[in-house]
Amino acid sequence: MNDVARTPVTADRPPEPSPDPAPGPAGGGSGITVRLLAGYALRVVLIALGYYAGGLVGLLREVTVAGATVTPFWPPTGVAVACLLAFGLRVWPGVALGALLVVTGMGPLSWTALGLVAGNTLSPVLACLLLRRAGFRAQVDRLRDGVSLVFLGALLGMLVSPTVGTLMVVAGGGLSPDDFWPVWAAWWAGDAVGVLVVTPLLLALRRPGRPRDAAQIAEAAALGAATILLALVVTRSPVSLLFLVYPLLVWAALRFQLVGGAVCTAVLSLCATWAATDPAGVFARQNLFEGMITLQALNGSAALTALLLAAVTAERRSTQRRIAAACEDLAEMVDVLAPQGRGPRSFPAGSRTGQRQG
């Protein structure tokens, strides 16, 4: 049936000419396709640049393990996992291009370098596939989301990159087979910490939310300043005071959920990595192996604490909102079904006002 009404024709008035037809599907479709391709190319380029920028940050702090240079904190893995979760697996060329830029910036292109690019691309893709399989939500507002990101995205998903990378270095003659496991462990720990620290931060910054009032803005500013100051003090103090930062992580996760916990964890991780690679503070009394264990234990436990506590808090608040909405719906239904003059206000408890106050 035609939805366009026909124009009445009379003897005194000729019919009005019909409007020009809209452009055919071929022309409109090609324009849409060009825009989609341009948007896709822009995302790929931005992801590659973000990966490359994270690589430059990670390469600022390097350590030598068994003759191989590794980074104790590798932000590009977190950038790659966050981008794949946000935009889908179709943007994986951006991760590959970013990894290629990082590798070529470290030396000439070779088969070993191409193997490193492949490993650095496959590892975030595997992490994203595992998270999708587990029903992960990018809001990280459930306990299962936090647990999945830790164990599937970071610990399990990052097994590919160090395995492929270390094997390629051994095959290229740059590493002895006897030193495979120390280098592999350091490589894996750096990649896993990158996911634990950077991925929640980027996912949280996509929807940071608005502060409720000036008091919350002041609280956030005080929390940020206290975290920076305390992180610098505890990571460079000769006395072991690293545990003092945990109350701030708990405060951030309880009050500001994922945003607060992720930002404070990132600040602590950067300060700790800086101190461990100098070495300074408590790390100055430890050898390289002990310092890396202390660093990764601190970064991992801090990220785990903040992430899981923020997820639990967000899930609890979401449950409270759903309960409040259900109570309001029930109160409205009572208003409709109750006899005249016997609304919910005649009940001493359970009224709509009481539910709102609870």
Side-chain angles (χ1 to χ4, degrees):
M1 180 178 179
N2 194 350
D3 294 334
V4 181
R6 297 182 178 179
T7 304
V9 180
T10 60
D12 299 333
R13 181 181 178 183
E16 296 180 358
S18 59
D20 295 335
S30 62
I32 295 175
T33 302
V34 170
R35 289 193 296 270
L36 290 177
L37 290 177
Y40 174 78
L42 179 61
R43 286 183 177 179
V44 167
V45 171
L46 292 178
I47 291 171
L49 293 178
Y51 191 103
Y52 180 66
L56 294 180
V57 173
L59 291 174
L60 292 176
R61 293 293 168 175
E62 300 176 340
V63 293
T64 302
V65 178
T69 301
V70 296
T71 55
F73 174 40
W74 190 238
T77 56
V79 174
V81 173
C83 292
L84 292 176
L85 289 174
F87 304 115
L89 291 175
R90 62 183 180 275
V91 297
W92 69 264
V95 178
L97 180 58
L100 181 62
L101 292 175
V102 173
V103 170
T104 53
M106 299 171 60
L109 190 61
S110 62
W111 288 109
T112 301
L114 292 178
L116 297 178
V117 172
N120 290 334
T121 304
L122 291 175
S123 207
V125 169
L126 174 62
C128 187
L129 289 174
L130 292 174
L131 290 173
R132 285 189 172 186
R133 183 74 175 177
F136 176 80
R137 292 198 312 209
Q139 295 83 359
V140 197
D141 55 356
R142 302 174 300 175
L143 178 60
R144 61 180 294 184
D145 297 329
V147 173
S148 299
L149 185 58
V150 171
F151 291 98
L152 298 180
L155 302 184
L156 186 59
M158 292 299 111
L159 292 176
V160 176
S161 176
T163 302
V164 174
T166 310
L167 286 175
M168 295 301 298
V169 175
V170 171
L175 183 68
S176 171
D178 296 335
D179 298 325
F180 176 87
W181 289 112
V183 174
W184 181 93
W187 196 322
W188 171 76
D191 286 359
V193 170
V195 175
L196 288 176
V197 174
V198 178
T199 298
L201 178 63
L202 295 180
L203 292 178
L205 292 180
R206 291 183 63 205
R207 300 171 182 174
R210 296 180 179 179
R212 292 190 297 269
D213 47 31
Q216 190 179 39
I217 297 177
E219 181 184 2
L223 175 61
T227 301
I228 295 174
L229 179 62
L230 188 58
L232 289 173
V233 170
V234 300
T235 54
R236 296 192 169 268
S237 172
V239 183
S240 181
L241 300 174
L242 297 176
F243 57 88
L244 288 180
V245 77
Y246 278 87
L248 293 181
L249 295 178
V250 174
W251 176 17
L254 290 177
R255 293 291 295 159
F256 300 98
Q257 284 80 61
L258 185 60
V259 175
V263 171
C264 290
T265 301
V267 171
L268 174 61
S269 297
L270 290 175
C271 293
T273 304
W274 182 17
T277 53
D278 270 348
V282 68
F283 300 99
R285 303 197 306 266
Q286 301 174 343
N287 57 37
L288 178 61
F289 182 73
E290 293 172 346
M292 290 301 100
I293 291 179
T294 302
L295 174 63
Q296 303 304 358
L298 174 65
N299 289 339
S301 58
L304 181 65
T305 300
L307 182 61
L308 295 185
L309 188 56
V312 170
T313 304
E315 186 174 24
R316 179 178 59 85
R317 292 191 176 185
S318 177
T319 302
Q320 290 177 343
R321 287 193 295 267
R322 289 197 298 268
I323 292 175
C327 291
E328 290 187 357
D329 292 341
L330 181 60
E332 292 178 358
M333 186 176 298
V334 171
D335 279 338
V336 174
L337 299 179
Q340 185 70 23
R342 293 176 59 90
R345 295 182 181 178
S346 61
F347 296 95
S351 65
R352 187 187 306 181
T353 304
Q355 295 291 350
R356 286 178 178 171
Q357 293 175 351

